[in-house]
């Protein structure tokens, strides 16, 4: 042994090359870890589908390929290489686990217009329409007739009801044809449905008469007499004659008018 060898001591075989291998392995592990951490963000931002790396095994294989000797394998401490791979492998799953609940919470949380949107709910609109209809019909006589003057009422079809007749008003005369009078001589037509039913049936008969549908017409001075076949039951025949015949069903309506002013109406 010469003097130089005694001063510097014995050389370790492959020392410099082993250090280079260790540095290369660490660099590869860092690159792999960075790629694994950034891959979900890059995919989400660009819409790409970058493949995932197998993590720990890739790091080991890369170090093994670059290791020329057992000495360098020992120098590249296996404990230091897997750690970045483990952290890089677990980080995306934790990041995804944290990101997903935030998206769900955003989807579930109501927006600032949620309270206003309930105003457009179909049930709410239906309730409002029903309340409006109730308010509109509360001002109508029998829920149908609109008062256009003192004791003067107009139906939706345009039939006018005014004072007159022995009862004092045409409506009071019409009321007599909503109840049977078994002791009355002859026939007595009775409408179904009380006053509301009688008024609705008269409106339908008037519309048919104006359209000349299944209608016969007679003129007597200022008065026009319509007999309208309604095509269904609208009442029955009462009075003594009706009682003898067991109150047969009435399908026709007799209307007596002066212009559009009702004089009388009854089923036949």
């Amino acid at each position: 042994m010469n003097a130089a060898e005694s001063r510097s001591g014995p050389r370790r075989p492959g020392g410099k090359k082993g250090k280079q291998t260790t540095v290369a392995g660490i660099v590869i592990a860092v690159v792999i870890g960075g790629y694994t951490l950034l891959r979900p963000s890059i995919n989400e931002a660009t819409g790409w589908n970058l493949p995932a790396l197998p993590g720990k095994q890739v790091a080991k294989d890369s170090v093994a390929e670059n290791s020329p000797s057992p000495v360098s394998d020992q120098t590249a401490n296996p404990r230091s290489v897997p750690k970045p791979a483990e952290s890089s492998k677990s980080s995306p799953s934790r990041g995804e686990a944290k990101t997903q609940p935030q998206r769900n919470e955003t989807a579930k949380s109501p927006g600032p217009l949620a309270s206003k949107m309930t105003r457009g709910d179909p049930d709410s609109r239906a309730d409002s329409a029903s309340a409006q209809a109730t308010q509109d019909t509360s001002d109508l006589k029998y829920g149908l007739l609109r008062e256009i003057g003192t004791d003067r009422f107009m139906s939706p079809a345009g039939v006018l009801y005014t004072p007159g007749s022995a009862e004092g008003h045409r409506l009071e005369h019409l009321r007599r044809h909503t109840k049977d009078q078994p002791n009355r001589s002859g026939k007595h037509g009775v409408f179904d449905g009380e006053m509301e039913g009688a008024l609705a049936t008269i409106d339908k008969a008037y519309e048919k008469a104006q359209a000349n549908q299944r209608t016969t017409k007679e003129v007597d001075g200022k008065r026009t007499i319509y007999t309208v076949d309604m095509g269904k039951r609208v009442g029955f025949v009462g009075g003594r004659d009706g009682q003898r015949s067991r109150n047969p069903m009435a399908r026709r309506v007799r209307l007596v008018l002066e212009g559009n002013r009702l004089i009388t109406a009854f089923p036949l």
Side-chain angles (χ1 to χ4, degrees):
M1 181 181 297
N2 55 26
E5 289 179 352
S6 62
R7 286 196 301 270
S8 58
R11 291 185 180 181
R12 180 180 292 180
K16 184 176 181 180
K17 192 173 183 179
K19 290 181 181 180
Q20 292 177 352
T21 303
T22 303
V23 172
I26 294 173
V27 170
I28 292 173
V30 171
V31 171
I32 292 172
Y35 173 83
T36 307
L37 286 171
L38 296 177
R39 183 181 62 84
S41 301
I42 294 173
N43 287 342
E44 183 176 357
T46 62
W48 297 346
N49 188 17
L50 296 177
L53 297 178
K56 180 189 291 187
Q57 187 62 34
V58 173
K60 288 183 177 181
D61 294 342
S62 300
V63 175
E65 290 176 359
N66 294 316
S67 301
S69 65
V71 176
S72 59
D73 289 340
Q74 295 176 357
T75 306
N77 190 351
R79 296 180 182 178
S80 61
V81 175
K83 288 183 179 179
E86 290 177 356
S87 60
S88 62
K89 184 176 180 180
S90 59
S91 297
S93 61
R94 288 198 298 270
E96 291 174 359
K98 292 180 181 179
T99 304
Q100 188 65 28
Q102 292 177 357
R103 294 177 183 174
N104 294 337
E105 292 173 2
T106 304
K108 293 180 180 179
S109 60
L113 299 179
S115 59
K116 295 182 180 180
M117 291 177 66
T118 57
R119 299 177 184 176
D121 183 69
D123 294 336
S124 301
R125 290 198 300 269
D127 294 341
S128 300
S130 177
Q132 184 66 29
T134 303
Q135 183 178 1
D136 293 342
T137 58
S138 63
D139 297 334
L140 301 178
K141 192 173 184 66
Y142 302 113
L144 190 71
L145 303 180
R146 178 169 53 89
E147 188 171 10
I148 60 173
T150 304
D151 291 334
R152 296 170 62 86
F153 300 91
M154 182 74 73
S155 75
V159 179
L160 181 63
Y161 297 88
T162 63
S165 74
E167 292 80 12
H169 201 284
R170 297 299 176 183
L171 287 172
E172 294 303 319
H173 173 76
L174 179 62
R175 191 186 300 277
R176 294 179 59 189
H177 288 284
T178 61
K179 301 291 183 182
D180 190 14
Q181 298 178 12
N183 297 324
R184 179 180 177 178
S185 60
K187 298 179 180 180
H188 179 68
V190 182
F191 285 104
D192 290 337
E194 302 291 338
M195 281 294 289
E196 291 81 359
L199 292 169
T201 299
I202 291 171
D203 255 22
K204 292 179 182 178
Y206 181 74
E207 290 174 345
K208 285 180 173 290
Q210 296 301 303
N212 197 26
Q213 296 177 353
R214 307 177 72 173
T215 301
T216 60
K217 177 181 177 182
E218 300 177 23
V219 178
D220 183 9
K222 294 182 179 181
R223 295 182 176 181
T224 304
I225 303 169
Y226 296 101
T227 303
V228 184
D229 185 356
M230 303 299 291
K232 64 178 181 179
R233 176 190 170 111
V234 293
F236 64 93
V237 179
R240 290 180 181 177
D241 290 354
Q243 190 174 27
R244 292 191 190 101
S245 303
R246 297 184 180 180
N247 301 116
M249 175 181 62
R251 298 169 57 93
R252 297 177 297 162
V253 174
R254 174 71 53 81
L255 296 177
V256 181
L257 301 167
E258 289 184 359
N260 67 329
R261 187 166 68 94
L262 183 83
I263 302 301
T264 188
F266 50 87
L268 292 173

